[in-house]
Amino acid sequence: MKASVGTVRTIRGLMAGIEFTDDPPRLQEILLTDDAAQAPFQVHSFTDETTALCINMTDYRGLMKGHRVVRTGQRIEVPVGEPAIGHIFDALGRPLDVERLEGEYETRDIYQVAGETSFAGRAPEMLETGIKVLDFFTPFVKGRKIGIIGGAGVGKTVLTMELIHNIVQAQSGLAMFTGIGERIREGHELIETLRERKLLGDTVMYFAQMNENPALRSMVALSSATVAEYFRDEDKRDVLFFVDNIYRYAQARNELSTILDQTPAEGGYQPTLFSDTKWLQDRLTSNENGSITSVQTIYVPADDLSDPAVQMIAQELDSVIVLSRKVAEQGIRPAVDILRTQSSLITPEVVGERHHHLVGQVQQIMQKYESLKSIIAIIGENELSPVDRADYSKARKLIKFFSQQVNVVEDLTGVKGEYFRRDETLKGVEEIIV
Ligand SMILES: Nc1ncnc2c1ncn2[C@@H]1O[C@H](COP(=O)(O)OP(=O)(O)OP(=O)(O)O)[C@@H](O)[C@H]1O
Ligand SMILES: [Mg+2]
């Protein structure tokens, strides 16, 4: 087939209008500039029958009007299967740690969603994290989704790293990590931590960090989801899927939407915020082949939990652990806001009668604590009734109990990380509240 060639007609920032007089490309197809750079552009939409609006995927600045661009006939495809394991990739599925992957491997179109996903008839399987507050309030259940929500610097990344540290060692499944729009340094740190503990061999990592353009930042989530789907469906594996930070996916989509001059909707977000979010989250699910268990951090802009993107993402998750600046300021780590933290998995069927009952009791005490705090501010603790005073003291003990040292900042704090068995956690709570 003779390669079909387009001509650049308009350029605006990351967008280029490219005219194809015959044989136009299809949506999402990759085009390459017809020069030494072979810079990739992706077809986003059509402005008329012959003109494709295309996104500059890299920082290529050499494009000019009249330049030629060649069709590839392909959309983005990422390497899947055994040869991909142990490697680090960019959004386009290019390995970052080696020149090329060893062995034969297949590739998969990242826009081709794997078949139906349904998750019927499996008994819930709890995975222990060793982190008390998490095991207690937002249990880690195979095939389900946990969100770690919080504003800047409240400890989302540290908590995620600790989870990876504790869980990847204990599980035999495959772990995937996707870095979206966060610090480059953090990616390096994670790789180092895993390397030191010889865990890198069982992981696949994808990165498009804050220095990369919005096309890549939004795409990387799809690329890594495609790999996860493959391992789930073809290899029948259980995949642990960590993302830091899923909010950056919504944000990158929003940036693209702005570049495309789309009229924003609620909260200044793109009109497709709902479908963008849903489409991705629906891929990260479990089915009869295998499971994808995900932990996703969610950045909260300006500490405002009612942000439309934050809300929309949270709705798609089974549990959300809310980190709060107020709690962090008191030196409590992990800085969990117990009253805002929620899980639909706290049911007798999933966690058992005992655990379910305890959560209810703890929440009651914590709620009471909140109202007592304002009373105490006025009249002082000594004026409380004996019952109130007892509950107040229990709440304080619980807060202390749920804080713990983490392994991944050992170097920073000089204090050793702690791991608690789930049963120890439940026992500890019982001892405080009875
Ligand atoms: N569990 C913890 N124990 C001790 N220190 C912590 C803990 N969690 C966070 N910190 C401290 O807070 C800093 C910020 O944490 P972290 O990077 O996890 O925040 P974040 O919520 O991911 O922030 P951002 O939104 O900027 O990515 C860490 O560098 C560390 O110094
Ligand atoms: Mg972070």
Side-chain angles (χ1 to χ4, degrees):
M1 186 185 99
K2 192 176 145 288
S4 161
V5 174
T7 309
V8 178
R9 295 293 178 214
T10 56
I11 300 172
R12 232 186 82 203
L14 286 176
M15 306 302 298
I18 301 176
E19 186 182 38
F20 287 83
T21 45
D22 57 11
D23 199 16
R26 52 180 183 150
L27 284 178
Q28 285 135 359
E29 186 174 324
I30 295 299
L31 315 171
L32 298 174
T33 54
D34 191 17
D35 57 11
Q38 294 213 308
F41 280 69
Q42 185 186 37
V43 178
H44 176 274
S45 51
F46 285 88
T47 48
D48 57 51
E49 266 172 33
T50 54
T51 311
L53 200 53
C54 305
I55 306 170
N56 185 347
M57 308 291 299
T58 53
D59 282 333
Y60 182 65
R61 293 277 169 266
L63 198 72
M64 307 236 206
K65 280 187 197 172
H67 273 188
R68 284 149 47 93
V69 173
V70 185
R71 275 190 64 182
T72 63
Q74 284 189 323
R75 302 199 287 198
I76 304 267
E77 294 193 3
V78 293
V80 290
E82 217 54 44
I85 298 178
H87 292 290
I88 303 160
F89 298 89
D90 70 5
L92 301 170
R94 299 180 295 201
L96 295 170
D97 56 335
V98 287
E99 198 63 35
R100 50 176 47 245
L101 298 183
E102 275 178 36
E104 294 267 314
Y105 60 86
E106 287 176 54
T107 57
R108 286 276 162 111
D109 180 339
I110 68 168
Y111 296 97
Q112 189 70 50
V113 179
E116 260 306 286
T117 51
S118 65
F119 191 50
R122 267 208 207 189
E125 191 181 328
M126 303 249 286
L127 310 174
E128 186 178 88
T129 71
I131 303 167
K132 287 188 278 192
V133 73
L134 231 142
D135 284 335
F136 190 74
F137 292 104
T138 54
F140 204 77
V141 178
K142 194 184 255 182
R144 302 307 190 100
K145 296 177 180 163
I146 295 185
I148 300 176
I149 299 193
V154 292
K156 300 181 293 298
T157 299
V158 168
L159 194 55
T160 308
M161 294 308 144
E162 183 72 359
L163 263 169
I164 296 178
H165 174 270
N166 290 0
I167 283 202
V168 173
Q169 299 198 37
Q171 300 300 317
S172 53
L174 177 78
M176 293 194 57
F177 180 86
T178 311
I180 314 177
E182 297 290 303
R183 297 171 196 87
I184 307 158
R185 165 179 63 77
E186 290 176 341
H188 291 303
E189 283 169 4
L190 173 64
I191 293 165
E192 267 324 299
T193 308
L194 293 175
R195 194 185 316 244
E196 272 167 29
R197 294 177 164 82
K198 307 219 174 350
L199 297 172
L200 209 52
D202 298 323
T203 60
V204 177
M205 295 197 223
Y206 268 80
F207 286 102
Q209 297 298 49
M210 53 174 50
N211 58 316
E212 303 198 53
N213 88 26
L216 295 180
R217 275 182 275 126
S218 60
M219 182 175 296
V220 74
L222 308 183
S223 301
S224 60
T226 305
V227 179
E229 284 174 322
Y230 176 90
F231 283 115
R232 178 195 63 197
D233 295 337
E234 305 302 326
D235 285 3
K236 316 270 186 269
R237 288 215 200 204
D238 291 320
V239 181
L240 294 168
F241 194 92
F242 300 92
V243 188
D244 190 11
N245 190 300
I246 199 72
Y247 174 83
R248 305 295 180 195
Y249 164 75
Q251 190 181 39
R253 299 281 307 171
N254 191 24
E255 284 172 47
L256 286 178
S257 167
T258 308
I259 294 170
L260 290 162
D261 268 347
Q262 286 170 343
T263 313
E266 200 187 346
Y269 286 102
Q270 66 274 34
T272 54
L273 176 63
F274 178 71
S275 51
D276 288 350
T277 305
K278 186 97 180 97
W279 191 65
L280 175 63
Q281 295 293 347
D282 281 351
R283 297 181 67 171
L284 298 174
T285 50
S286 305
N287 59 21
E288 58 290 349
N289 297 322
S291 65
I292 299 178
T293 309
S294 72
V295 176
Q296 314 182 12
T297 63
I298 306 165
Y299 168 75
V300 179
D303 286 349
D304 176 13
L305 283 170
S306 69
D307 180 272
V310 172
Q311 286 290 322
M312 203 155 297
I313 300 165
Q315 274 166 24
E316 297 289 324
L317 311 173
D318 297 293
S319 308
V320 283
I321 184 155
V322 178
L323 301 182
S324 126
R325 189 167 311 283
K326 255 198 188 144
V327 178
E329 278 165 4
Q330 293 162 39
I332 298 164
R333 301 290 187 171
V336 176
D337 181 335
I338 292 175
L339 286 178
R340 290 216 164 82
T341 292
Q342 278 179 354
S343 171
S344 61
L345 300 170
I346 299 289
T347 65
E349 295 74 35
V350 179
V351 297
E353 201 60 70
R354 174 190 179 202
H355 188 160
H356 173 245
H357 187 61
L358 282 175
V359 172
Q361 284 178 295
V362 168
Q363 278 169 342
Q364 245 171 23
I365 292 173
M366 294 314 297
Q367 229 136 34
K368 188 162 176 190
Y369 173 72
E370 277 308 305
S371 48
L372 286 178
K373 263 201 312 199
S374 35
I375 297 174
I376 288 170
I378 304 166
I379 62 169
E381 195 176 335
N382 289 336
E383 301 300 316
L384 294 180
S385 73
V387 177
D388 286 352
R389 207 181 313 168
D391 282 344
Y392 184 75
S393 141
K394 282 179 193 171
R396 294 184 55 138
K397 281 187 193 147
L398 284 168
I399 291 171
K400 194 151 170 243
F401 174 77
F402 281 120
S403 65
Q404 84 185 63
Q405 298 295 334
V406 296
N407 290 286
V408 292
V409 289
E410 246 173 51
D411 296 347
L412 208 79
T413 56
V415 190
K416 256 193 106 45
E418 300 167 296
Y419 185 102
F420 295 88
R421 309 220 37 108
R422 180 166 164 259
D423 194 59
E424 283 178 79
T425 301
L426 296 184
K427 240 192 232 139
V429 172
E430 268 164 351
E431 274 163 20
I432 294 171
I433 64 179
V434 290

